[in-house]
Amino acid sequence: MSDLAQQAELTTRSGQSGQPLRLGVAEGMAGVLGLFLLISAVAPQFLAPGDPLGIDPLAAFAPPSFAHGFGTDESGRDIYTRVVHGTQYSLVIGVAATAIGLGLGIVLGTLAGMLGRVVDFTVNRFLEVLFAFPGLLLALLFILVFGPGVATATIAVGLSTAPGYARIIRGQLIAVRGAAFVEAATVLGRTRWQILLRHILPNTLAPLFVLATLGVGQAIVWAATLSYLGLGAEPPTAEWGAMLSAGRTYITSAWWMSFFPGLFIVLTAVTATVLGRSIDRRMRHA
Amino acid sequence: MLQIGPSIDFGPIHYWIESNNCILVGYTSGKETHSMHTWSNPHRAVRAVTGLALAGLFLTGCTANDTSNIADTGDPVSGGTLTYASGDAEPSCLDPHVGGNFPQGMIAAQYLESLVSRNSAGQIIPWLAESWTPSPDGLTWDFTLRGDVSFTDGTVFDAAAVQANIAHLRNPTTLSSTGYLALGKVASTEVVSPTVVRFIMTEPDSALLESLSQVWLAMESPAALERSQDENCVAPVGTGPFIVDSWVKQSAITLVRNDDYVSPPADADHSGPAYLDQVIWRFIPDSASRYAALQAGQVDVIDNAQPDTIVQATQSDSIEHLDSPRPGSSNRIELNSGKAPFNDVRVREAFIRSANVDDAVSSLFQGTATRSYSALSSVESTAVSDPTLFGYDPSAAAELLDAAGWGETDADGYRVKDGVRLSVQFPVSTNQSIPAEQSVFEQIQATAKETGFEVKLAPLDLSSWYAALATNDYDAVSAPYTKVGPDVLRILYHSDSIVPAPSGYFANLAQVNDPQIDELLTTAASTTDVAERTSLYADAQNRILAGFYILPLYDQQNHYLLRSDVVGLRTLPTVAVPTLYDAWLNR
């Protein structure tokens, strides 16, 4: 189908459903925020030129002011600078953890969906065992064995999201496996792997993209949770969860220390969710 | 679990999120909350974490409940229940003979009493012993006991009871650490008469009275000690003003008044039974929750108060502040002189000169702690202080590093020698170092970096922290030690203390191995002449300070906050544990 034809069909469909694909207010805001976060992650010094670890004891516990937009922490470090520089940790952890979860999910899901009953049965039982643990508990278990740190926290979060993805991929795969074009490919004499790579996987993974965008938001919150518990990034690293935890001690006297990192965790998770849903909506339209 | 470091305190443990939820619930409902519920669903935990940021906003809008102002305290009134909330770890055994750490000592001081006590001037005063006489050679001590005291189980307190207690402390199956070490020079005890007990020493011990004044060597009913250790741990029996009534683990210990009480220490404010009917001793590890509970009136006294809450409390009419630094060592960073890079005195001095401690202490402790320049607590009259050794001087530090061969600098700005970076492994016990102290370390890390030290802070739970020390995997560490009198120097800096105890712990974490210091400390420990002993300890301290083995920070902080209607609370001048004997409620 040519691009033109696609375009035509898209227009017709939107016309039929009566929902023009306008950019909503929420999507617009999420877009702007997403851009801000992206710049923060890639080039934090562009938005906050200061040193996120630079101390200034005499300026400690300063409330938000013109000089320090988000205030300062117990060692006089600028919270705004730290929040901006902390974006990269959160985004990298969020994206990497989702990638790990998704990658593992694809492998397990494909094994289960493609390699016959015995493998399917084995993988399914394995997934059920993993499902029996709440995700965060699974992550804690992993950290208990391999020790705290950013890398382990990322892998832990990734591992704990993998069973969910695997389940979805397996279901999707089984549905696509029986489709007419797969039958056609089989008739044409394509090997099993050729069919898998060229026909089944592309049709299985498209919906997963949406799911992964939503998953990034979830992974960021989980990673922040682990750091908050002292199991992820270690102080004085400018990581949001660790900052939230450090600020908690002073919550009655210096609310800004935990408020702004907390706000950015919420905003990032919301942004990822809104963008994910938006992509989802557009894909359904397409 | 048995704590091996005697009286090492456990500070606030601060990572349980449900405690935070309690702040929110406590404020919004104003009702009693449970601090022990668990999350059935991880998403709730996640929501709590993210919600915390928003909660901060309205929390600051909350103020303490207004209680009646107390202008005139008047005569003490009997009755009522006082709720005490401790930020320290809950002891695993309420008998301080077993192990012997600070949390045990704090609660045990309510139901156990010692042979002697110490007044605020630092002099030893009578308690369960009315008087004592050492022999001229210092090898025997006769203690004359009060004849009118009974344990709360009815057993009579006499010389045989003292003998049974000393035997209990020295029995290896008791697993005593603090008490056991304190009795190191006691060979045996003898019952001279029902009211006179004789201590026979292997050598003169100038610290014997100071050791016996500590709550870890308090007297327990011999009949109760004959029970199994498990039984005795749950409900030790003493002669004190309160009796252990019940212990709901991970929740609270209930103490009730001993109506037959007759034996307060010589410096108490009143005689006869205590004023309070009952004491509820709770454990709230999270400092913000603990303070919130005090503000809301759910608890009457909290310990381990954080600097920012102390500053807030001083501006409030409804909360009072009690500051009582602990005796023994100061809070200091010990530099491991047993291995590189701190086996070179120049590198040790460079590190000390590169650390801007003054600014860190003033910003983080907000006037609640005073900088120390001594190995000993400021409550010790024998403490030697030398500010000239510990000034912040980065250029002197740089020169020292150049002279020590650490002249090169790598791309990250750290000093290098033979391709090895100048790194300092610094395990931090999150149980013992309060958040403000952890931030002091972070600031030292930042200022030492300017000189070229890479300080690697590793926040660890207690068991991992002990493991790091036991495997010599540290270059710097902070481990305060509480003990009455300057004899603590022998435990901390004598080379004998580098050898680990059977438990694996060793107290000489700076690994000071100096025959001259050993000699001074050994001689001082058996010198009973006060002036001579003081001078020997002064020499030893000067040598320790000049060797740059330690970076003193401040006294071991021991701050209590109490509601203004709690009157008469004080700490025992022995090891600065609270005593509720004179306390009463003016409500």
Side-chain angles (χ1 to χ4, degrees):
Chain A
M1 205 188 285
S2 73
D3 284 350
L4 252 174
Q6 263 182 337
Q7 194 64 46
E9 189 176 291
L10 192 77
T11 322
T12 332
R13 274 203 208 161
S14 3
Q16 279 167 352
S17 62
Q19 285 181 335
L21 274 175
R22 281 192 303 110
L23 205 63
V25 179
E27 284 169 317
M29 282 169 65
V32 172
L33 216 90
L35 193 69
F36 178 86
L37 292 170
L38 207 66
I39 298 172
S40 301
V42 178
Q45 57 279 27
F46 183 71
L47 293 169
D51 176 5
L53 297 180
I55 61 161
D56 181 6
L58 302 180
F61 298 115
S65 66
F66 190 70
H68 299 285
F70 290 180
T72 63
D73 69 6
E74 79 277 14
S75 293
R77 294 176 288 233
D78 184 59
I79 305 267
Y80 169 75
T81 309
R82 285 171 69 71
V83 165
V84 167
H85 284 255
T87 314
Q88 51 186 326
Y89 289 98
S90 293
L91 281 192
V92 166
I93 291 173
V95 171
T98 309
I100 291 169
L102 205 58
L104 225 88
I106 289 172
V107 172
L108 286 175
T110 313
L111 284 179
M114 295 299 293
L115 289 185
R117 277 172 142 189
V118 178
V119 178
D120 188 23
F121 180 84
T122 316
V123 172
N124 260 317
R125 296 297 86 75
F126 176 63
L127 290 181
E128 274 157 19
V129 170
L130 290 185
F131 268 121
F133 293 95
L136 198 63
L137 198 67
L138 204 64
L140 288 174
L141 196 73
F142 182 80
I143 288 171
L144 190 76
V145 176
F146 293 98
V150 176
T152 28
T154 311
I155 299 171
V157 172
L159 280 186
S160 54
T161 52
Y165 291 126
R167 228 350 122 70
I168 294 164
I169 290 163
R170 177 185 166 272
Q172 197 79 19
L173 214 97
I174 288 169
V176 176
R177 206 172 52 185
F181 62 85
V182 175
E183 258 178 63
T186 318
V187 169
L188 284 172
R190 302 275 185 261
T191 66
R192 193 192 248 190
W193 290 109
Q194 275 178 322
I195 295 172
L196 175 70
L197 292 177
R198 295 196 52 179
H199 299 284
I200 299 184
L201 276 185
N203 283 292
T204 313
L205 297 185
L208 275 178
F209 182 69
V210 174
L211 219 63
T213 320
L214 295 173
V216 169
Q218 167 84 35
I220 286 172
V221 172
W222 279 21
T225 309
L226 291 175
S227 291
Y228 178 85
L229 295 175
L231 301 171
E234 286 176 348
T237 311
E239 199 275 341
W240 295 343
M243 288 172 70
L244 191 66
S245 173
R248 193 188 41 126
T249 311
Y250 302 102
I251 196 156
T252 52
S253 56
W255 57 268
W256 53 89
M257 278 178 66
S258 35
F259 174 76
F260 288 107
L263 183 72
F264 269 73
I265 294 171
V266 174
L267 286 181
T268 312
V270 170
T271 302
T273 309
V274 170
L275 290 179
R277 292 213 185 286
S278 167
I279 295 167
D280 182 35
R281 202 152 59 89
R282 265 149 232 278
M283 281 177 66
R284 277 175 208 279
H285 270 288
Chain B
M1 188 186 65
L2 255 175
Q3 300 313 332
I4 30 187
S7 64
I8 280 180
D9 84 278
F10 288 85
I13 302 169
H14 39 269
Y15 43 99
W16 292 115
I17 25 189
E18 50 265 43
S19 310
N20 293 313
N21 200 35
C22 286
I23 312 176
L24 311 183
V25 179
Y27 268 104
T28 48
S29 70
K31 288 175 191 162
E32 184 72 25
T33 57
H34 294 282
S35 58
M36 286 301 149
H37 68 264
T38 48
W39 298 102
S40 52
N41 175 344
H43 299 287
R44 284 178 60 205
V46 173
R47 282 203 295 271
V49 171
T50 46
L52 191 64
L54 298 162
L57 265 186
F58 80 86
L59 272 176
T60 46
C62 299
T63 49
N65 290 356
D66 216 15
T67 53
S68 54
N69 278 328
I70 297 117
D72 178 19
T73 51
D75 289 330
V77 181
S78 281
T81 298
L82 181 142
T83 307
Y84 181 102
S86 177
D88 279 298
E90 182 173 5
S92 51
C93 175
L94 299 184
D95 171 6
H97 288 189
V98 178
N101 58 37
F102 208 82
Q104 285 178 306
M106 289 207 284
I107 183 145
Q110 316 314 320
Y111 49 79
L112 300 185
E113 298 180 300
S114 303
L115 288 180
V116 295
S117 188
R118 189 159 84 146
N119 65 16
S120 47
Q123 293 156 328
I124 298 295
I125 54 171
W127 199 350
L128 290 177
E130 279 175 337
S131 61
W132 45 90
T133 340
S135 63
D137 61 3
L139 289 175
T140 59
W141 288 72
D142 284 0
F143 288 84
T144 306
L145 310 174
R146 289 179 63 134
D148 58 343
V149 181
S150 291
F151 292 101
T152 51
D153 63 356
T155 312
V156 176
F157 170 73
D158 57 10
V162 176
Q163 194 175 35
N165 273 277
I166 301 302
H168 184 242
L169 281 161
R170 292 164 58 89
N171 185 342
T173 58
T174 306
L175 297 173
S176 172
S177 173
T178 316
Y180 182 85
L181 283 176
L183 293 173
K185 292 182 182 173
V186 176
S188 61
T189 50
E190 236 175 58
V191 175
V192 178
S193 78
T195 54
V196 178
V197 64
R198 178 169 296 159
F199 280 61
I200 296 159
M201 316 297 293
T202 53
E203 56 183 306
D205 183 1
S206 59
L208 181 67
L209 292 173
E210 289 162 350
S211 295
L212 289 173
S213 75
Q214 302 183 111
V215 63
W216 302 291
L217 290 95
M219 295 295 127
E220 296 180 48
S221 161
L225 288 179
E226 276 170 19
R227 301 176 295 176
S228 73
Q229 186 168 89
D230 287 347
E231 270 180 278
N232 199 55
C233 278
V234 175
V237 177
T239 58
F242 296 96
I243 303 168
V244 181
D245 183 57
S246 63
W247 180 12
V248 181
K249 289 199 176 161
Q250 298 187 353
S251 173
I253 299 164
T254 305
L255 310 174
V256 294
R257 178 171 51 205
N258 171 10
D259 288 324
D260 303 321
Y261 182 69
V262 292
S263 52
D267 61 341
D269 265 357
H270 79 291
S271 56
Y275 298 121
L276 298 166
D277 286 340
Q278 189 174 252
V279 176
I280 310 280
W281 196 279
R282 291 178 55 187
F283 298 93
I284 308 182
D286 181 79
S287 60
S289 309
R290 200 162 60 246
Y291 182 63
L294 180 74
Q295 278 186 307
Q298 291 171 8
V299 302
D300 302 300
V301 181
I302 62 170
D303 57 29
N304 286 284
Q306 303 298 305
D308 63 316
T309 56
I310 297 168
V311 172
Q312 275 184 55
T314 49
Q315 292 154 3
S316 152
D317 289 335
S318 57
I319 297 174
E320 307 278 332
H321 171 217
L322 174 66
D323 181 13
S324 179
R326 295 179 191 173
S329 78
S330 59
N331 238 12
R332 72 257 179 271
I333 297 174
E334 288 137 288
L335 306 180
N336 183 352
S337 64
K339 65 172 193 174
F342 286 146
N343 53 2
D344 184 334
V345 64
R346 292 170 296 188
V347 182
R348 293 201 296 271
E349 184 180 356
F351 180 78
I352 285 166
R353 298 287 189 194
S354 75
N356 186 351
V357 178
D358 284 346
D359 281 356
V361 171
S362 62
S363 70
L364 290 160
F365 285 87
Q366 302 169 47
T368 61
T370 310
R371 176 73 201 272
S372 165
Y373 304 100
S374 172
L376 288 180
S377 160
S378 67
V379 303
E380 298 295 349
S381 57
T382 43
V384 169
S385 181
D386 191 347
T388 60
L389 294 173
F390 302 105
Y392 172 53
D393 189 348
S395 57
E399 281 168 27
L400 283 160
L401 286 183
D402 289 342
W406 294 92
E408 288 171 48
T409 306
D410 69 9
D412 295 325
Y414 296 114
R415 296 291 185 124
V416 186
K417 181 182 183 180
D418 304 331
V420 180
R421 184 182 272 188
L422 184 51
S423 285
V424 177
Q425 284 291 345
F426 192 164
V428 177
S429 159
T430 50
N431 294 66
Q432 295 188 71
S433 288
I434 62 167
E437 184 162 289
Q438 292 177 41
S439 300
V440 167
F441 300 153
E442 285 175 19
Q443 294 200 14
I444 289 174
Q445 177 188 44
T447 51
K449 185 186 174 183
E450 288 163 16
T451 304
F453 281 96
E454 182 191 33
V455 180
K456 291 182 176 167
L457 292 174
L460 298 174
D461 61 80
L462 201 62
S463 56
S464 314
W465 183 78
Y466 277 133
L469 302 185
T471 53
N472 201 20
D473 191 13
Y474 69 97
D475 299 306
V477 71
S478 171
Y481 200 104
T482 307
K483 188 180 193 299
V484 173
D487 185 49
V488 70
L489 293 167
R490 185 180 52 83
I491 290 172
L492 294 176
Y493 304 109
H494 195 287
S495 62
D496 283 355
S497 302
I498 301 176
V499 182
S503 58
Y505 188 77
F506 59 103
N508 185 351
L509 293 171
Q511 304 198 11
V512 178
N513 192 351
D514 178 342
Q516 227 173 312
I517 292 177
D518 286 357
E519 171 72 28
L520 285 165
L521 293 173
T522 309
T523 316
S526 53
T527 303
T528 41
D529 179 80
V530 176
E532 199 185 330
R533 180 183 187 232
T534 305
S535 142
L536 286 165
Y537 278 127
D539 291 348
Q541 287 179 72
N542 278 321
R543 209 167 155 79
I544 292 162
L545 296 180
F548 297 103
Y549 296 104
I550 56 165
L551 171 56
L553 303 173
Y554 30 72
D555 282 339
Q556 288 182 57
Q557 300 297 298
N558 195 23
H559 295 272
Y560 299 83
L561 292 177
L562 44 144
R563 297 203 58 88
S564 309
D565 51 10
V566 177
V567 189
L569 176 83
R570 66 171 188 132
T571 58
L572 285 175
T574 53
V575 287
V577 290
T579 169
L580 296 168
Y581 170 60
D582 284 329
W584 56 281
L585 301 171
N586 187 13
R587 44 178 85 135

